[in-house]
Short mmCIF file of all heavy atoms in Angstrom, two decimals:
data_model
loop_
_atom_site.label_atom_id
_atom_site.label_comp_id
_atom_site.label_asym_id
_atom_site.label_seq_id
_atom_site.Cartn_x
_atom_site.Cartn_y
_atom_site.Cartn_z
N GLY A 625 -0.58 21.24 15.39
CA GLY A 625 -0.56 22.44 14.62
C GLY A 625 0.08 22.21 13.26
O GLY A 625 0.16 21.10 12.74
N LEU A 626 0.54 23.28 12.70
CA LEU A 626 1.12 23.25 11.36
C LEU A 626 2.36 22.35 11.30
O LEU A 626 2.57 21.63 10.34
CB LEU A 626 1.48 24.67 10.93
CG LEU A 626 2.03 24.83 9.51
CD1 LEU A 626 1.03 24.31 8.49
CD2 LEU A 626 2.34 26.29 9.24
N ARG A 627 3.16 22.38 12.36
CA ARG A 627 4.37 21.54 12.38
C ARG A 627 3.99 20.06 12.28
O ARG A 627 4.63 19.29 11.57
CB ARG A 627 5.16 21.81 13.66
CG ARG A 627 6.47 21.06 13.70
CD ARG A 627 7.21 21.36 14.94
NE ARG A 627 6.43 20.82 16.06
CZ ARG A 627 6.82 20.87 17.31
NH1 ARG A 627 7.93 21.45 17.64
NH2 ARG A 627 6.08 20.34 18.26
N HIS A 628 2.93 19.65 13.01
CA HIS A 628 2.49 18.26 12.93
C HIS A 628 1.97 17.93 11.54
O HIS A 628 2.18 16.83 11.05
CB HIS A 628 1.41 17.97 13.98
CG HIS A 628 1.96 17.80 15.34
ND1 HIS A 628 1.33 18.30 16.44
CD2 HIS A 628 3.07 17.21 15.80
CE1 HIS A 628 2.04 18.02 17.52
NE2 HIS A 628 3.10 17.36 17.16
N ASN A 629 1.28 18.87 10.92
CA ASN A 629 0.76 18.63 9.58
C ASN A 629 1.90 18.36 8.59
O ASN A 629 1.81 17.44 7.77
CB ASN A 629 -0.10 19.81 9.12
CG ASN A 629 -0.84 19.50 7.84
OD1 ASN A 629 -1.38 18.40 7.70
ND2 ASN A 629 -0.85 20.42 6.91
N HIS A 630 2.96 19.12 8.66
CA HIS A 630 4.12 18.90 7.78
C HIS A 630 4.73 17.52 8.04
O HIS A 630 5.13 16.82 7.11
CB HIS A 630 5.17 19.98 7.96
CG HIS A 630 4.76 21.31 7.43
ND1 HIS A 630 4.52 21.54 6.09
CD2 HIS A 630 4.53 22.49 8.06
CE1 HIS A 630 4.17 22.79 5.92
NE2 HIS A 630 4.16 23.40 7.10
N ARG A 631 4.82 17.15 9.29
CA ARG A 631 5.37 15.84 9.65
C ARG A 631 4.48 14.72 9.12
O ARG A 631 4.97 13.71 8.60
CB ARG A 631 5.51 15.72 11.17
CG ARG A 631 6.21 14.44 11.58
CD ARG A 631 6.39 14.34 13.06
NE ARG A 631 7.28 15.38 13.51
CZ ARG A 631 7.40 15.77 14.77
NH1 ARG A 631 6.66 15.20 15.69
NH2 ARG A 631 8.24 16.70 15.11
N LEU A 632 3.16 14.90 9.22
CA LEU A 632 2.23 13.89 8.71
C LEU A 632 2.37 13.70 7.21
O LEU A 632 2.37 12.58 6.71
CB LEU A 632 0.79 14.26 9.07
CG LEU A 632 0.43 14.17 10.54
CD1 LEU A 632 -0.94 14.80 10.78
CD2 LEU A 632 0.47 12.74 11.02
N VAL A 633 2.48 14.79 6.50
CA VAL A 633 2.64 14.73 5.04
C VAL A 633 3.94 14.02 4.69
O VAL A 633 3.97 13.15 3.81
CB VAL A 633 2.58 16.14 4.41
CG1 VAL A 633 3.00 16.11 2.95
CG2 VAL A 633 1.19 16.73 4.57
N ALA A 634 5.02 14.35 5.39
CA ALA A 634 6.31 13.71 5.12
C ALA A 634 6.26 12.21 5.41
O ALA A 634 6.75 11.40 4.62
CB ALA A 634 7.41 14.38 5.95
N LEU A 635 5.64 11.83 6.53
CA LEU A 635 5.53 10.41 6.87
C LEU A 635 4.69 9.66 5.84
O LEU A 635 5.04 8.56 5.43
CB LEU A 635 4.93 10.23 8.26
CG LEU A 635 5.84 10.56 9.44
CD1 LEU A 635 5.05 10.56 10.74
CD2 LEU A 635 6.99 9.57 9.53
N ALA A 636 3.59 10.27 5.41
CA ALA A 636 2.73 9.62 4.41
C ALA A 636 3.47 9.45 3.08
O ALA A 636 3.38 8.40 2.44
CB ALA A 636 1.45 10.43 4.21
N ASN A 637 4.19 10.48 2.65
CA ASN A 637 4.95 10.38 1.40
C ASN A 637 6.02 9.31 1.48
O ASN A 637 6.21 8.53 0.54
CB ASN A 637 5.57 11.73 1.05
CG ASN A 637 4.55 12.74 0.59
OD1 ASN A 637 3.46 12.39 0.16
ND2 ASN A 637 4.91 14.01 0.70
N LEU A 638 6.73 9.27 2.59
CA LEU A 638 7.77 8.25 2.77
C LEU A 638 7.16 6.85 2.83
O LEU A 638 7.68 5.91 2.22
CB LEU A 638 8.57 8.56 4.04
CG LEU A 638 9.85 7.77 4.26
CD1 LEU A 638 10.79 7.89 3.07
CD2 LEU A 638 10.53 8.26 5.53
N ALA A 639 6.03 6.73 3.52
CA ALA A 639 5.35 5.44 3.60
C ALA A 639 4.93 4.96 2.21
O ALA A 639 5.11 3.80 1.86
CB ALA A 639 4.13 5.54 4.51
N ASN A 640 4.39 5.87 1.40
CA ASN A 640 3.98 5.50 0.05
C ASN A 640 5.18 5.07 -0.80
O ASN A 640 5.08 4.13 -1.59
CB ASN A 640 3.24 6.66 -0.62
CG ASN A 640 1.86 6.84 -0.04
OD1 ASN A 640 1.24 5.88 0.40
ND2 ASN A 640 1.38 8.07 -0.04
N ALA A 641 6.30 5.74 -0.62
CA ALA A 641 7.51 5.36 -1.37
C ALA A 641 7.96 3.95 -0.98
O ALA A 641 8.27 3.13 -1.86
CB ALA A 641 8.63 6.37 -1.12
N TYR A 642 7.98 3.67 0.31
CA TYR A 642 8.36 2.32 0.75
C TYR A 642 7.36 1.28 0.24
O TYR A 642 7.75 0.18 -0.14
CB TYR A 642 8.47 2.24 2.27
CG TYR A 642 9.81 2.69 2.79
CD1 TYR A 642 9.95 3.89 3.47
CD2 TYR A 642 10.94 1.91 2.60
CE1 TYR A 642 11.19 4.31 3.96
CE2 TYR A 642 12.18 2.31 3.07
CZ TYR A 642 12.30 3.50 3.74
OH TYR A 642 13.52 3.90 4.21
N GLY A 643 6.07 1.63 0.24
CA GLY A 643 5.07 0.71 -0.27
C GLY A 643 5.30 0.39 -1.74
O GLY A 643 5.18 -0.77 -2.15
N LYS A 644 5.63 1.39 -2.53
CA LYS A 644 5.89 1.17 -3.95
C LYS A 644 7.13 0.32 -4.18
O LYS A 644 7.24 -0.37 -5.19
CB LYS A 644 6.01 2.50 -4.68
CG LYS A 644 4.68 3.19 -4.82
CD LYS A 644 4.79 4.49 -5.54
CE LYS A 644 3.41 5.14 -5.62
NZ LYS A 644 3.39 6.33 -6.41
N LEU A 645 8.06 0.37 -3.22
CA LEU A 645 9.27 -0.46 -3.31
C LEU A 645 9.03 -1.88 -2.80
O LEU A 645 9.92 -2.72 -2.87
CB LEU A 645 10.41 0.19 -2.52
CG LEU A 645 10.95 1.50 -3.08
CD1 LEU A 645 11.92 2.13 -2.10
CD2 LEU A 645 11.62 1.25 -4.42
N GLY A 646 7.82 -2.12 -2.28
CA GLY A 646 7.49 -3.45 -1.80
C GLY A 646 7.78 -3.68 -0.34
O GLY A 646 7.62 -4.79 0.16
N ASP A 647 8.21 -2.66 0.37
CA ASP A 647 8.53 -2.80 1.80
C ASP A 647 7.30 -2.42 2.63
O ASP A 647 7.21 -1.34 3.20
CB ASP A 647 9.71 -1.90 2.16
CG ASP A 647 10.27 -2.18 3.54
OD1 ASP A 647 9.57 -2.83 4.35
OD2 ASP A 647 11.41 -1.76 3.81
N THR A 648 6.33 -3.34 2.67
CA THR A 648 5.08 -3.05 3.37
C THR A 648 5.27 -2.94 4.87
O THR A 648 4.52 -2.23 5.53
CB THR A 648 4.01 -4.11 3.04
OG1 THR A 648 4.50 -5.40 3.39
CG2 THR A 648 3.64 -4.08 1.57
N GLY A 649 6.26 -3.63 5.41
CA GLY A 649 6.53 -3.51 6.85
C GLY A 649 6.94 -2.10 7.23
O GLY A 649 6.43 -1.53 8.20
N ARG A 650 7.84 -1.54 6.46
CA ARG A 650 8.30 -0.16 6.72
C ARG A 650 7.15 0.83 6.48
O ARG A 650 6.98 1.77 7.23
CB ARG A 650 9.49 0.16 5.83
CG ARG A 650 10.11 1.50 6.10
CD ARG A 650 10.82 1.51 7.43
NE ARG A 650 11.53 2.78 7.55
CZ ARG A 650 11.59 3.47 8.66
NH1 ARG A 650 11.07 3.00 9.76
NH2 ARG A 650 12.23 4.60 8.69
N LYS A 651 6.36 0.58 5.44
CA LYS A 651 5.22 1.44 5.17
C LYS A 651 4.27 1.43 6.36
O LYS A 651 3.82 2.47 6.82
CB LYS A 651 4.48 0.98 3.91
CG LYS A 651 3.25 1.80 3.63
CD LYS A 651 2.50 1.35 2.39
CE LYS A 651 1.28 2.22 2.18
NZ LYS A 651 0.53 1.85 0.98
N ARG A 652 3.97 0.24 6.87
CA ARG A 652 3.07 0.10 8.01
C ARG A 652 3.61 0.83 9.23
O ARG A 652 2.87 1.52 9.93
CB ARG A 652 2.89 -1.39 8.31
CG ARG A 652 1.64 -1.72 9.05
CD ARG A 652 1.43 -3.23 9.17
NE ARG A 652 1.40 -3.89 7.88
CZ ARG A 652 2.21 -4.88 7.52
NH1 ARG A 652 3.11 -5.36 8.34
NH2 ARG A 652 2.12 -5.42 6.33
N ASP A 653 4.91 0.72 9.48
CA ASP A 653 5.52 1.41 10.62
C ASP A 653 5.36 2.92 10.52
O ASP A 653 5.02 3.59 11.49
CB ASP A 653 7.01 1.08 10.73
CG ASP A 653 7.27 -0.37 11.14
OD1 ASP A 653 6.34 -1.03 11.63
OD2 ASP A 653 8.42 -0.81 10.94
N LEU A 654 5.61 3.46 9.33
CA LEU A 654 5.49 4.91 9.14
C LEU A 654 4.05 5.38 9.26
O LEU A 654 3.78 6.43 9.84
CB LEU A 654 6.09 5.30 7.79
CG LEU A 654 7.60 5.14 7.69
CD1 LEU A 654 8.06 5.21 6.24
CD2 LEU A 654 8.30 6.19 8.53
N LEU A 655 3.11 4.60 8.72
CA LEU A 655 1.71 4.98 8.85
C LEU A 655 1.24 4.89 10.30
O LEU A 655 0.43 5.71 10.74
CB LEU A 655 0.83 4.09 7.95
CG LEU A 655 1.02 4.32 6.46
CD1 LEU A 655 0.17 3.33 5.66
CD2 LEU A 655 0.68 5.75 6.06
N ASP A 656 1.77 3.94 11.04
CA ASP A 656 1.46 3.86 12.47
C ASP A 656 1.96 5.10 13.20
O ASP A 656 1.26 5.65 14.06
CB ASP A 656 2.09 2.61 13.11
CG ASP A 656 1.35 1.34 12.75
OD1 ASP A 656 0.18 1.41 12.29
OD2 ASP A 656 1.93 0.26 12.94
N ARG A 657 3.16 5.55 12.88
CA ARG A 657 3.69 6.78 13.50
C ARG A 657 2.82 7.98 13.18
O ARG A 657 2.52 8.79 14.06
CB ARG A 657 5.12 7.04 13.02
CG ARG A 657 6.14 6.11 13.65
CD ARG A 657 7.52 6.29 13.11
NE ARG A 657 8.00 7.66 13.18
CZ ARG A 657 9.11 8.09 12.58
NH1 ARG A 657 9.83 7.25 11.85
NH2 ARG A 657 9.49 9.34 12.69
N ALA A 658 2.37 8.07 11.93
CA ALA A 658 1.51 9.18 11.54
C ALA A 658 0.17 9.11 12.28
O ALA A 658 -0.35 10.14 12.72
CB ALA A 658 1.28 9.15 10.04
N LEU A 659 -0.35 7.92 12.45
CA LEU A 659 -1.62 7.76 13.15
C LEU A 659 -1.50 8.17 14.62
O LEU A 659 -2.41 8.81 15.16
CB LEU A 659 -2.10 6.32 13.02
CG LEU A 659 -3.53 6.04 13.43
CD1 LEU A 659 -4.51 6.91 12.66
CD2 LEU A 659 -3.85 4.56 13.20
N VAL A 660 -0.39 7.86 15.25
CA VAL A 660 -0.17 8.27 16.64
C VAL A 660 -0.17 9.79 16.76
O VAL A 660 -0.79 10.36 17.66
CB VAL A 660 1.15 7.67 17.20
CG1 VAL A 660 1.55 8.33 18.49
CG2 VAL A 660 1.02 6.17 17.37
N ILE A 661 0.48 10.45 15.82
CA ILE A 661 0.51 11.92 15.82
C ILE A 661 -0.90 12.47 15.66
O ILE A 661 -1.30 13.40 16.37
CB ILE A 661 1.45 12.45 14.72
CG1 ILE A 661 2.89 12.09 15.04
CG2 ILE A 661 1.29 13.97 14.57
CD1 ILE A 661 3.86 12.34 13.90
N LYS A 662 -1.66 11.89 14.73
CA LYS A 662 -3.04 12.35 14.54
C LYS A 662 -3.89 12.12 15.78
O LYS A 662 -4.71 12.96 16.13
CB LYS A 662 -3.68 11.66 13.33
CG LYS A 662 -3.32 12.29 12.04
CD LYS A 662 -4.23 11.83 10.95
CE LYS A 662 -3.94 12.68 9.73
NZ LYS A 662 -4.90 12.48 8.69
N GLU A 663 -3.71 10.99 16.43
CA GLU A 663 -4.46 10.72 17.65
C GLU A 663 -4.13 11.76 18.72
O GLU A 663 -5.02 12.22 19.43
CB GLU A 663 -4.17 9.31 18.17
CG GLU A 663 -4.82 8.23 17.37
CD GLU A 663 -4.45 6.84 17.84
OE1 GLU A 663 -3.54 6.69 18.69
OE2 GLU A 663 -5.05 5.87 17.34
N GLN A 664 -2.86 12.11 18.84
CA GLN A 664 -2.46 13.12 19.82
C GLN A 664 -3.01 14.49 19.46
O GLN A 664 -3.41 15.26 20.34
CB GLN A 664 -0.94 13.19 19.93
CG GLN A 664 -0.32 11.96 20.54
CD GLN A 664 1.19 11.94 20.42
OE1 GLN A 664 1.79 12.71 19.67
NE2 GLN A 664 1.82 11.04 21.16
N GLU A 665 -3.04 14.81 18.18
CA GLU A 665 -3.48 16.12 17.71
C GLU A 665 -5.00 16.28 17.79
O GLU A 665 -5.50 17.31 18.24
CB GLU A 665 -3.01 16.32 16.27
CG GLU A 665 -3.27 17.68 15.70
CD GLU A 665 -2.33 18.76 16.19
OE1 GLU A 665 -1.28 18.43 16.78
OE2 GLU A 665 -2.65 19.93 16.00
N TYR A 666 -5.74 15.27 17.33
CA TYR A 666 -7.19 15.39 17.18
C TYR A 666 -7.99 14.61 18.22
O TYR A 666 -9.17 14.87 18.39
CB TYR A 666 -7.62 14.90 15.80
CG TYR A 666 -7.03 15.66 14.65
CD1 TYR A 666 -6.14 15.06 13.78
CD2 TYR A 666 -7.37 16.99 14.42
CE1 TYR A 666 -5.61 15.75 12.71
CE2 TYR A 666 -6.83 17.70 13.36
CZ TYR A 666 -5.95 17.07 12.51
OH TYR A 666 -5.42 17.76 11.46
N GLY A 667 -7.39 13.61 18.82
CA GLY A 667 -8.13 12.71 19.71
C GLY A 667 -8.53 11.46 18.95
O GLY A 667 -8.76 11.48 17.75
N ARG A 668 -8.60 10.37 19.68
CA ARG A 668 -8.84 9.06 19.06
C ARG A 668 -10.19 8.96 18.34
O ARG A 668 -10.33 8.24 17.36
CB ARG A 668 -8.72 7.99 20.12
CG ARG A 668 -8.80 6.60 19.58
CD ARG A 668 -8.45 5.59 20.61
NE ARG A 668 -7.61 4.63 19.93
CZ ARG A 668 -6.75 3.87 20.49
NH1 ARG A 668 -6.56 3.92 21.76
NH2 ARG A 668 -6.04 3.03 19.79
N GLU A 669 -11.19 9.67 18.81
CA GLU A 669 -12.54 9.56 18.26
C GLU A 669 -12.81 10.50 17.08
O GLU A 669 -13.88 10.46 16.50
CB GLU A 669 -13.58 9.82 19.37
CG GLU A 669 -13.50 8.84 20.52
CD GLU A 669 -13.67 7.39 20.08
OE1 GLU A 669 -14.56 7.12 19.25
OE2 GLU A 669 -12.90 6.53 20.57
N HIS A 670 -11.85 11.32 16.73
CA HIS A 670 -12.03 12.27 15.63
C HIS A 670 -12.21 11.51 14.32
O HIS A 670 -11.52 10.52 14.06
CB HIS A 670 -10.82 13.20 15.55
CG HIS A 670 -11.01 14.35 14.64
ND1 HIS A 670 -10.87 14.25 13.27
CD2 HIS A 670 -11.35 15.64 14.89
CE1 HIS A 670 -11.11 15.44 12.72
NE2 HIS A 670 -11.41 16.30 13.69
N PRO A 671 -13.14 11.94 13.46
CA PRO A 671 -13.39 11.23 12.19
C PRO A 671 -12.15 11.09 11.31
O PRO A 671 -11.98 10.08 10.63
CB PRO A 671 -14.43 12.11 11.48
CG PRO A 671 -15.08 12.88 12.57
CD PRO A 671 -14.05 13.06 13.65
N GLU A 672 -11.26 12.08 11.30
CA GLU A 672 -10.05 12.01 10.49
C GLU A 672 -9.13 10.88 10.96
O GLU A 672 -8.55 10.16 10.15
CB GLU A 672 -9.31 13.35 10.56
CG GLU A 672 -8.08 13.42 9.71
CD GLU A 672 -8.37 13.47 8.22
OE1 GLU A 672 -9.52 13.71 7.83
OE2 GLU A 672 -7.43 13.25 7.44
N VAL A 673 -9.05 10.69 12.26
CA VAL A 673 -8.22 9.61 12.82
C VAL A 673 -8.83 8.26 12.48
O VAL A 673 -8.13 7.35 12.03
CB VAL A 673 -8.05 9.78 14.36
CG1 VAL A 673 -7.33 8.59 14.97
CG2 VAL A 673 -7.31 11.08 14.67
N ALA A 674 -10.13 8.14 12.66
CA ALA A 674 -10.81 6.87 12.36
C ALA A 674 -10.69 6.53 10.88
O ALA A 674 -10.42 5.38 10.52
CB ALA A 674 -12.27 6.96 12.78
N ARG A 675 -10.88 7.52 10.01
CA ARG A 675 -10.79 7.28 8.56
C ARG A 675 -9.40 6.80 8.17
O ARG A 675 -9.24 5.85 7.43
CB ARG A 675 -11.14 8.56 7.80
CG ARG A 675 -11.11 8.39 6.29
CD ARG A 675 -11.52 9.67 5.59
NE ARG A 675 -10.56 10.74 5.83
CZ ARG A 675 -9.47 10.95 5.09
NH1 ARG A 675 -9.20 10.15 4.09
NH2 ARG A 675 -8.67 11.94 5.36
N ASN A 676 -8.37 7.46 8.70
CA ASN A 676 -7.00 7.07 8.37
C ASN A 676 -6.65 5.71 8.93
O ASN A 676 -5.92 4.95 8.30
CB ASN A 676 -6.00 8.11 8.84
CG ASN A 676 -6.03 9.36 8.01
OD1 ASN A 676 -5.98 10.46 8.53
ND2 ASN A 676 -6.13 9.22 6.70
N GLY A 677 -7.16 5.37 10.09
CA GLY A 677 -6.92 4.05 10.66
C GLY A 677 -7.51 2.96 9.80
O GLY A 677 -6.87 1.95 9.51
N ARG A 678 -8.75 3.17 9.35
CA ARG A 678 -9.39 2.17 8.47
C ARG A 678 -8.68 2.10 7.13
O ARG A 678 -8.48 1.03 6.58
CB ARG A 678 -10.86 2.53 8.27
CG ARG A 678 -11.73 2.25 9.46
CD ARG A 678 -13.21 2.36 9.11
NE ARG A 678 -13.55 3.60 8.44
CZ ARG A 678 -13.88 4.75 9.06
NH1 ARG A 678 -13.88 4.79 10.37
NH2 ARG A 678 -14.20 5.82 8.36
N GLN A 679 -8.28 3.25 6.61
CA GLN A 679 -7.59 3.30 5.33
C GLN A 679 -6.26 2.55 5.41
O GLN A 679 -5.91 1.78 4.53
CB GLN A 679 -7.34 4.77 4.98
CG GLN A 679 -7.24 5.08 3.54
CD GLN A 679 -7.21 6.59 3.34
OE1 GLN A 679 -6.62 7.32 4.12
NE2 GLN A 679 -7.86 7.05 2.30
N ARG A 680 -5.52 2.77 6.48
CA ARG A 680 -4.24 2.12 6.67
C ARG A 680 -4.41 0.61 6.73
O ARG A 680 -3.67 -0.13 6.11
CB ARG A 680 -3.57 2.63 7.95
CG ARG A 680 -2.24 1.98 8.24
CD ARG A 680 -2.12 1.84 9.76
NE ARG A 680 -1.11 0.93 10.13
CZ ARG A 680 -1.27 -0.38 10.24
NH1 ARG A 680 -2.40 -0.95 9.93
NH2 ARG A 680 -0.30 -1.15 10.63
N GLU A 681 -5.42 0.14 7.45
CA GLU A 681 -5.64 -1.30 7.56
C GLU A 681 -5.97 -1.90 6.20
O GLU A 681 -5.46 -2.95 5.84
CB GLU A 681 -6.77 -1.57 8.55
CG GLU A 681 -6.38 -1.30 9.98
CD GLU A 681 -7.56 -1.39 10.91
OE1 GLU A 681 -8.66 -1.82 10.48
OE2 GLU A 681 -7.40 -1.03 12.09
N GLY A 682 -6.80 -1.24 5.43
CA GLY A 682 -7.16 -1.75 4.10
C GLY A 682 -5.99 -1.74 3.15
O GLY A 682 -5.77 -2.69 2.42
N ASP A 683 -5.19 -0.68 3.16
CA ASP A 683 -4.03 -0.58 2.27
C ASP A 683 -3.03 -1.68 2.55
O ASP A 683 -2.55 -2.33 1.63
CB ASP A 683 -3.33 0.77 2.44
CG ASP A 683 -4.10 1.92 1.83
OD1 ASP A 683 -5.08 1.66 1.11
OD2 ASP A 683 -3.71 3.06 2.09
N THR A 684 -2.70 -1.91 3.80
CA THR A 684 -1.66 -2.89 4.10
C THR A 684 -2.17 -4.31 3.89
O THR A 684 -1.41 -5.17 3.46
CB THR A 684 -1.10 -2.72 5.53
OG1 THR A 684 -2.17 -2.76 6.47
CG2 THR A 684 -0.35 -1.41 5.66
N ARG A 685 -3.45 -4.57 4.14
CA ARG A 685 -3.99 -5.90 3.87
C ARG A 685 -3.93 -6.20 2.38
O ARG A 685 -3.53 -7.28 1.98
CB ARG A 685 -5.43 -6.02 4.36
CG ARG A 685 -5.56 -6.37 5.81
CD ARG A 685 -6.95 -6.88 6.11
NE ARG A 685 -7.96 -5.95 5.66
CZ ARG A 685 -8.60 -5.08 6.44
NH1 ARG A 685 -8.33 -5.01 7.71
NH2 ARG A 685 -9.52 -4.28 5.94
N THR A 686 -4.29 -5.24 1.55
CA THR A 686 -4.26 -5.42 0.10
C THR A 686 -2.83 -5.67 -0.37
O THR A 686 -2.57 -6.58 -1.15
CB THR A 686 -4.84 -4.18 -0.61
OG1 THR A 686 -6.18 -4.01 -0.18
CG2 THR A 686 -4.78 -4.33 -2.11
N GLU A 687 -1.89 -4.87 0.12
CA GLU A 687 -0.49 -5.04 -0.29
C GLU A 687 0.08 -6.35 0.20
O GLU A 687 0.80 -7.03 -0.52
CB GLU A 687 0.35 -3.88 0.22
CG GLU A 687 0.08 -2.61 -0.54
CD GLU A 687 0.89 -1.46 -0.02
OE1 GLU A 687 1.64 -1.64 0.96
OE2 GLU A 687 0.78 -0.38 -0.59
N ASP A 688 -0.25 -6.74 1.44
CA ASP A 688 0.25 -8.01 1.95
C ASP A 688 -0.23 -9.17 1.08
O ASP A 688 0.54 -10.06 0.76
CB ASP A 688 -0.22 -8.23 3.40
CG ASP A 688 0.53 -7.36 4.39
OD1 ASP A 688 1.56 -6.78 4.01
OD2 ASP A 688 0.07 -7.26 5.54
N ARG A 689 -1.48 -9.14 0.65
CA ARG A 689 -1.99 -10.21 -0.22
C ARG A 689 -1.26 -10.19 -1.55
O ARG A 689 -0.89 -11.21 -2.08
CB ARG A 689 -3.49 -10.01 -0.46
CG ARG A 689 -4.36 -10.53 0.63
CD ARG A 689 -5.80 -10.70 0.15
NE ARG A 689 -6.33 -9.47 -0.44
CZ ARG A 689 -6.99 -8.53 0.21
NH1 ARG A 689 -7.21 -8.65 1.50
NH2 ARG A 689 -7.44 -7.47 -0.43
N HIS A 690 -1.02 -9.01 -2.08
CA HIS A 690 -0.35 -8.87 -3.38
C HIS A 690 1.07 -9.45 -3.32
O HIS A 690 1.48 -10.17 -4.21
CB HIS A 690 -0.31 -7.41 -3.80
CG HIS A 690 0.50 -7.18 -5.03
ND1 HIS A 690 0.07 -7.56 -6.29
CD2 HIS A 690 1.70 -6.61 -5.20
CE1 HIS A 690 0.99 -7.24 -7.17
NE2 HIS A 690 1.99 -6.66 -6.55
N TYR A 691 1.80 -9.14 -2.29
CA TYR A 691 3.20 -9.55 -2.23
C TYR A 691 3.37 -10.99 -1.76
O TYR A 691 4.42 -11.55 -1.92
CB TYR A 691 4.00 -8.59 -1.35
CG TYR A 691 4.19 -7.26 -2.04
CD1 TYR A 691 3.54 -6.12 -1.59
CD2 TYR A 691 4.97 -7.15 -3.18
CE1 TYR A 691 3.69 -4.91 -2.23
CE2 TYR A 691 5.12 -5.94 -3.84
CZ TYR A 691 4.48 -4.83 -3.35
OH TYR A 691 4.62 -3.65 -4.01
N ARG A 692 2.33 -11.58 -1.19
CA ARG A 692 2.44 -12.97 -0.76
C ARG A 692 2.21 -13.95 -1.89
O ARG A 692 2.64 -15.07 -1.83
CB ARG A 692 1.42 -13.25 0.35
CG ARG A 692 2.00 -13.00 1.71
CD ARG A 692 1.08 -13.55 2.75
NE ARG A 692 0.43 -12.40 3.35
CZ ARG A 692 -0.78 -12.37 3.83
NH1 ARG A 692 -1.53 -13.43 3.83
NH2 ARG A 692 -1.29 -11.29 4.35
N THR A 693 1.48 -13.53 -2.92
CA THR A 693 1.14 -14.48 -3.99
C THR A 693 2.22 -14.58 -5.03
O THR A 693 3.15 -13.87 -5.10
CB THR A 693 -0.19 -14.08 -4.67
OG1 THR A 693 -0.06 -12.76 -5.17
CG2 THR A 693 -1.33 -14.21 -3.70
#
């Protein structure tokens, strides 16, 4: 419900802040927590969950490559 939506927004904002600071591990952890909440709220097969899962994987792979070089 609405409470979960507020939590998701807060987790995403915090994850983005950690990502900008270069802490991709912490960002990944927070995005994983948000994804678990979405899976519980919508179900694993919901398009919103699938989209965010793919987005999270692409974001962290890109950042990992950036910070490794």
Side-chain angles (χ1 to χ4, degrees):
L626 184 58
R627 185 180 66 178
H628 283 140
N629 190 43
H630 289 296
R631 186 178 296 163
L632 290 170
V633 169
L635 286 171
N637 288 339
L638 191 55
N640 287 330
Y642 275 108
K644 288 180 181 186
L645 292 172
D647 191 343
T648 58
R650 185 70 173 139
K651 178 181 180 179
R652 203 173 303 123
D653 291 344
L654 291 166
L655 291 176
D656 285 343
R657 286 175 54 191
L659 192 56
V660 167
I661 293 169
K662 278 195 171 189
E663 286 176 351
Q664 292 170 346
E665 185 77 14
Y666 299 114
R668 186 170 222 155
E669 299 302 317
H670 191 279
E672 183 71 14
V673 173
R675 182 178 65 87
N676 287 137
R678 286 191 309 273
Q679 207 171 38
R680 179 215 164 274
E681 289 172 8
D683 287 350
T684 55
R685 275 198 306 260
T686 300
E687 287 179 358
D688 286 347
R689 278 198 307 268
H690 173 72
Y691 288 110
R692 269 192 255 148
T693 57

